[in-house]
Amino acid sequence: MTTPPAPGLLARVKRILLGRPFATSDEDHHLLPKRLALPLFASDPLSSVAYATEEIMLVLALAGAAAFTHMIPIAAAIALLVVVVVTSYRQTVRAYPQGGGAYLVTRDNLGAIPARVAASALMIDYVLTVAVSVTAGVAAITSAFPSVLPERVWIAMAFVAFLGLVNLRGVRETGRLFAVPTYFFFVMVMAVLATGFARCLGGTCPAAETASVAIEPELGAVGVLLIMRAFASGSTALTGIEAIADGVPAFRRPKAGNAAATLAIMATMSITMFLGITSLSLLFDVRVSEATVDTYGSVLSQVGRTAFGGEGVLFFALQAATMGILVLAANTAYQDFPRLSAILAGDRLMPRQLRNRGDRLVYSNGIVVLSLMAAALIVAFDATLSRLIQLYVVGVFVSFTLSQTSMVRRWWKLRTGRWRRSMAINAVGATTTGVVLVVVATAKFAKGAWAVVAAIPLLVLAMSRVNRHYEWVATQLSLFRERRRPPLRTEVIVLASHVSQGTRRALAYADTLGADRVQCVHVEEGPRDSFWLDWQAPNADIPLTVLRPRRRGVVRPLRAFISDIRWEHPRTRVVVVIPEWQSEPRWLWRLLHHRASRIKAGLIGMRDVVMVNIVLSPRPLLRGRGTPPPPPTERIAVVPVGGVTQATLDTIAYVRWTDPVALHPVHVELEPEYAERTQEEWARYYPDVPLEIVANPFRATVPVILDYIRRIRAEAPPGRVVEVVIPEFVVPGRMGRALHNKTARSLRARLARDPDIITTTVPWLLKDEAEAYSAREV
């Protein structure tokens, strides 16, 4: 059995909250059967019936209570639309069993830009799904307990945090947790329908509490535009249908067959509940308007109160079930937003960190991003359902229309099997959803849908910008580019703040490099700096340069000094050796190490500057035992290899110049195919040096590299020191740095705690944009 790495303090807290990590090989054991997939992926469309009828009635109320008679035809049209869309998506699921939904279908058949439009619409819809579902769930609570209405924002935020935490624990565990509330809601709604229709069998239906409430018409009569608005508002019943198409990989085999069957079950349950609630609302003479909804409660609560004969146990059970399903409906977005984000990141349209899978085999970064965005939306709209709902649905129908249009094009190109029938089904779906999209966008535009219409192209532009950046980086690192000319000479600078054992150890290391010149550099930081006097007696034979800056700070004068060297001797590599002491107490060492890290951050943007970090621990000497570690005269080089790129080749060239006694290149496997390709490319360039592939069952790159380094150190003969040489390509600009993983930085930070290991960073600056870097003073 594979064992996860030993956890530290933060990792132990994380394990308490999320559970033990799952190995990648265990993924098949976490695939979902239909009974768990249904509540996980279909909670959104199933929950929509709790407020879809109410949304229709709120619009019709503008023409007075008499307009409620139009509910049944509108609900029937929406139910027919659900059948059309579900039938179309069953075709999509079978054609694209790898998941991805509207984005992949559109990308393969209509091209990149329409695909980005579909993805943008879906992502906006998923964020709105969480915000609307949680807000609707809170509204159910406030209907039963009006006294908590002022705290609705905090309650909603707590639900979002809960959903995020539960989803971070893994798909299968989430499915088990959410199955009971989803099925309980279905049972309670069916109980309401059975009881309500049974009480109407005698010919007289019970009247709702609001049956006598007068609703003053604001419009003269029911017109086409009002019917269109009511239809658009009721179309919220379709939200979440695409979720199953996006999440096909989470199903048990046969994945496509189980996903298609789940779609059919979901549609049957959703239509039954929706039409039943709408019919009882009309039979019970339920009345609702913007002015009365907070006083008398939601339409579903009024129907339940009337059917059950008052506010008894069954009524409160219905409210609890409604609250549960409305909040858990957000889980549909938690399943699909991270998956879609990972697919987009794989296509270089989103930050690649969104591809990372967490300890529990879920895309943790996507879950966190979704939670933060939904929480921001809830705060911005004060957890008010009537305001948030206006933004809803537009994105859904954009993705519906593009997806079905893409399938029409696909069948036309393939012309296999019963392609005419399939194309006709998707054509009907595309036409219907396209018409509804126009209706919804027109009806809701002034109410708030304009924000979604404006956000979609902005998100498309952002994706295009991210894609251009990643393509540019790939071009710069490509092995097909002409190699940069190697440096003609090398100078070593030992940066010293005071004369110490660490300084002497750093100088001993510098002497092993065989550089053209080695010198010590000290930056004065005050008028009482006595470094010169301390240095002269024991180190008179070693060149010393004292920099006296006009203002306090180390980075600026050091950069200027390095620039002068390279101006005097072009094509010179400068190796900066930074000795550090592990000080007591630990907080003081962290403070000093933070200062050293800022120095390295200021130098990493300079071309042909290599940084070496040597940490010396004083603990054995302070306790009166032990001796300082031996001078690093013989070095074993360990080089982490993420891929064979220009940066990797430059790093290996540097390592070979330093002439270590042994070279250990290591690649941590994240994806088997990529690891195999990396090994083949490595063998093409370095057939005499084998690349070691290290398994990474828990997808934790840095701990795996650290374990490998410790093993090499344990096997090293006495007198030899391990030097970890880290290749790092440097991207200018805040956006560029944000779009890349911080593996090299994290590895350096972890290695800085170990005084027995030398850490060397070989930066590779992309193109000429390195000049855009500006040093920050320390």
Side-chain angles (χ1 to χ4, degrees):
M1 180 179 176
T2 310
T3 305
L9 177 61
L10 292 178
R12 285 196 294 271
V13 174
K14 181 179 177 182
R15 185 168 296 185
I16 291 172
L17 292 174
L18 305 183
R20 67 175 183 84
F22 293 144
T24 306
S25 57
D26 296 336
E27 185 172 12
D28 284 349
H29 299 295
H30 297 274
L31 296 178
L32 299 171
K34 292 191 290 293
R35 71 176 186 279
L36 294 182
L38 178 67
L40 202 61
F41 288 103
S43 54
D44 183 18
L46 291 179
S47 70
S48 298
V49 303
Y51 53 84
T53 301
E54 181 176 313
E55 292 302 313
I56 295 173
M57 295 180 70
L58 286 173
V59 175
L60 292 176
L62 296 174
F68 292 151
T69 55
H70 297 280
M71 282 194 299
I72 299 300
I74 293 174
I78 292 172
L80 181 61
L81 183 59
V82 170
V83 172
V84 171
V85 172
V86 167
T87 304
S88 301
Y89 265 105
R90 281 166 57 87
Q91 305 235 100
T92 302
V93 162
R94 292 192 174 95
Y96 287 87
Q98 69 270 35
Y103 169 70
L104 285 184
V105 178
T106 309
R107 185 195 66 183
D108 290 351
N109 296 283
L110 296 183
I113 298 302
R116 293 171 193 177
V117 172
S120 301
L122 279 174
M123 295 182 73
I124 292 171
D125 176 60
Y126 289 143
V127 175
L128 285 168
T129 295
V130 176
V132 170
S133 298
V134 169
T135 301
V138 173
I141 296 177
T142 57
S143 293
F145 307 100
S147 60
V148 301
L149 188 62
E151 309 300 327
R152 61 188 177 190
V153 173
W154 291 108
I155 297 173
M157 298 281 280
F159 278 131
V160 171
F162 169 75
L163 287 168
L165 181 62
V166 170
N167 278 276
L168 287 172
R169 293 184 60 89
V171 173
R172 190 175 181 87
E173 189 165 337
T174 306
R176 287 171 176 165
L177 180 64
F178 290 172
V180 173
T182 303
Y183 289 122
F184 179 55
F185 173 74
F186 177 71
V187 169
M188 289 306 303
V189 171
M190 295 307 294
V192 169
L193 299 183
T195 306
F197 284 119
R199 296 188 66 181
C200 291
L201 287 178
T204 304
C205 292
E209 182 183 1
T210 56
S212 59
V213 174
I215 298 180
E216 296 298 328
E218 299 179 20
L219 301 177
V222 177
V224 175
L225 290 179
L226 189 67
I227 295 293
M228 289 172 58
R229 280 187 57 187
F231 179 82
S233 295
S235 295
T236 53
L238 278 80
T239 57
I241 288 178
E242 77 288 345
I244 292 176
D246 288 336
V248 177
F251 282 79
R252 279 184 180 174
R253 295 177 177 80
K255 296 177 181 290
N258 285 332
T262 306
L263 269 169
I265 296 170
M266 176 204 69
T268 302
M269 294 171 64
S270 181
I271 291 173
T272 301
M273 290 191 292
F274 175 54
L275 291 179
I277 292 171
T278 305
S279 300
L280 283 183
S281 298
L282 187 62
L283 291 173
F284 291 169
D285 198 13
V286 171
R287 299 185 181 188
V288 67
S289 67
E290 295 286 356
T292 64
V293 66
D294 290 335
T295 303
Y296 296 100
S298 65
V299 168
L300 180 57
S301 68
Q302 292 188 53
V303 170
R305 188 183 293 112
T306 307
F308 293 139
E311 296 185 354
V313 175
L314 291 177
F315 170 75
F316 284 108
L318 173 65
Q319 288 299 94
T322 304
M323 182 274 294
I325 191 65
L326 287 173
V327 172
L328 299 185
N331 195 64
T332 298
Y334 274 103
Q335 296 306 307
D336 288 332
F337 182 94
R339 283 190 176 86
L340 178 60
S341 299
I343 292 172
L344 293 172
D347 286 351
R348 298 175 175 175
L349 295 173
M350 297 285 283
R352 61 180 55 181
Q353 292 93 328
L354 294 171
R355 290 188 66 191
N356 299 342
R357 303 180 77 180
D359 290 345
R360 306 283 285 186
L361 292 172
V362 294
Y363 297 103
S364 304
N365 292 334
I367 291 173
V368 172
V369 169
L370 176 60
S371 297
L372 293 176
M373 294 176 68
L377 207 58
I378 288 171
V379 172
F381 284 83
D382 196 31
T384 303
L385 183 61
S386 59
R387 294 172 60 193
L388 278 168
I389 203 74
Q390 303 302 328
L391 280 66
Y392 214 16
V393 180
V394 174
V396 176
F397 281 99
V398 169
S399 62
F400 282 168
T401 304
L402 287 172
S403 173
Q404 301 312 310
T405 303
S406 300
M407 287 298 295
V408 171
R409 183 174 176 82
R410 181 180 186 273
W411 294 122
W412 179 257
K413 288 190 298 183
L414 295 179
R415 303 192 184 193
T416 56
R418 302 169 67 180
W419 66 274
R420 287 185 175 86
R421 173 182 172 274
S422 299
M423 188 173 72
I425 292 173
N426 289 125
V428 171
T431 304
T432 307
T433 55
V435 171
V436 176
L437 172 61
V438 175
V439 172
V440 169
T442 303
K444 292 195 170 189
F445 188 84
K447 296 285 186 178
W450 63 267
V452 176
V453 175
I456 289 175
L458 292 177
L459 198 50
V460 170
L461 289 174
M463 288 182 185
S464 301
R465 176 74 181 275
V466 171
N467 181 255
R468 283 198 302 270
H469 170 80
Y470 282 131
E471 294 291 344
W472 174 76
V473 170
T475 301
Q476 295 299 305
L477 295 174
S478 172
L479 297 173
F480 296 102
R481 289 182 61 87
E482 182 180 355
R483 294 287 306 280
R484 291 176 182 172
R485 294 182 297 174
L488 298 177
R489 60 191 304 277
T490 301
E491 289 199 21
V492 179
I493 295 173
V494 177
L495 185 63
S497 59
H498 57 278
V499 180
S500 65
Q501 181 69 30
T503 307
R504 288 189 285 274
R505 182 169 166 80
L507 288 168
Y509 167 85
D511 287 338
T512 68
L513 296 179
D516 296 276
R517 183 168 66 170
V518 177
Q519 60 179 316
C520 185
V521 172
H522 173 72
V523 181
E524 283 191 350
E525 298 190 64
R528 297 183 181 181
D529 196 323
S530 61
F531 182 87
W532 178 272
L533 297 176
D534 297 336
W535 177 267
Q536 282 295 354
N539 305 291
D541 58 328
I542 301 175
L544 171 66
T545 300
V546 178
L547 305 179
R548 297 179 173 86
R550 295 180 178 178
R551 295 184 295 175
R552 291 181 61 86
V554 176
V555 173
R556 188 182 298 274
L558 190 57
R559 285 174 61 97
F561 180 71
I562 294 172
S563 297
D564 290 342
I565 292 175
R566 299 193 60 207
W567 178 265
E568 182 180 356
H569 302 285
R571 292 180 62 187
T572 296
R573 176 194 287 122
V574 179
V575 181
V576 181
V577 183
I578 306 173
E580 293 184 61
W581 280 84
Q582 276 193 348
S583 305
E584 297 287 355
R586 291 288 293 176
W587 66 265
L588 178 60
W589 177 77
R590 291 191 184 98
L591 178 64
L592 296 174
H593 177 68
H594 177 66
R595 181 174 179 274
S597 299
R598 293 183 65 187
I599 293 173
K600 286 178 279 188
L603 298 180
I604 201 170
M606 300 188 73
R607 190 180 302 280
D608 289 328
V609 174
V610 176
M611 287 158 292
V612 181
N613 197 44
I614 298 179
V615 180
L616 189 66
S617 174
R619 291 182 180 180
L621 300 179
L622 289 174
R623 294 171 183 171
R625 68 179 189 274
T627 58
T633 54
E634 292 187 337
R635 292 168 289 103
I636 300 173
V638 176
V639 182
V641 177
V644 182
T645 64
Q646 294 277 2
T648 309
L649 302 184
D650 188 60
T651 300
I652 297 300
Y654 169 78
V655 172
R656 286 186 160 176
W657 172 81
T658 63
D659 194 25
V661 295
L663 171 59
H664 295 278
V666 57
H667 174 78
V668 178
E669 181 183 85
L670 289 174
E671 299 174 1
E673 299 80 7
Y674 183 73
E676 183 178 350
R677 186 167 70 249
T678 299
Q679 194 162 39
E680 292 174 356
E681 292 175 346
W682 178 269
R684 192 180 311 131
Y685 283 90
Y686 305 107
D688 56 326
V689 182
L691 175 67
E692 186 167 353
I693 306 294
V694 181
N696 186 14
F698 295 96
R699 305 162 302 283
T701 302
V702 171
V704 170
I705 295 177
L706 291 173
D707 288 343
Y708 178 84
I709 293 169
R710 293 184 185 114
R711 177 167 61 83
I712 295 296
R713 183 180 60 185
E715 297 172 355
R720 292 186 178 179
V721 65
V722 175
E723 180 179 9
V724 181
V725 187
I726 305 172
E728 181 177 1
F729 64 88
V730 182
V731 184
R734 293 182 180 178
M735 175 186 168
R737 291 193 292 272
L739 290 176
H740 295 274
N741 289 322
K742 307 299 187 295
T743 305
R745 185 183 303 176
S746 300
L747 181 59
R748 281 200 305 270
R750 295 288 294 273
L751 291 172
R753 307 172 191 173
D754 196 328
D756 297 327
I757 296 175
I758 297 173
T759 307
T760 299
T761 302
V762 183
W764 174 268
L765 274 66
L766 299 184
K767 209 173 179 180
D768 296 326
E769 294 196 20
E771 302 302 326
Y773 266 79
S774 58
R776 286 182 289 179
E777 286 198 71
V778 179

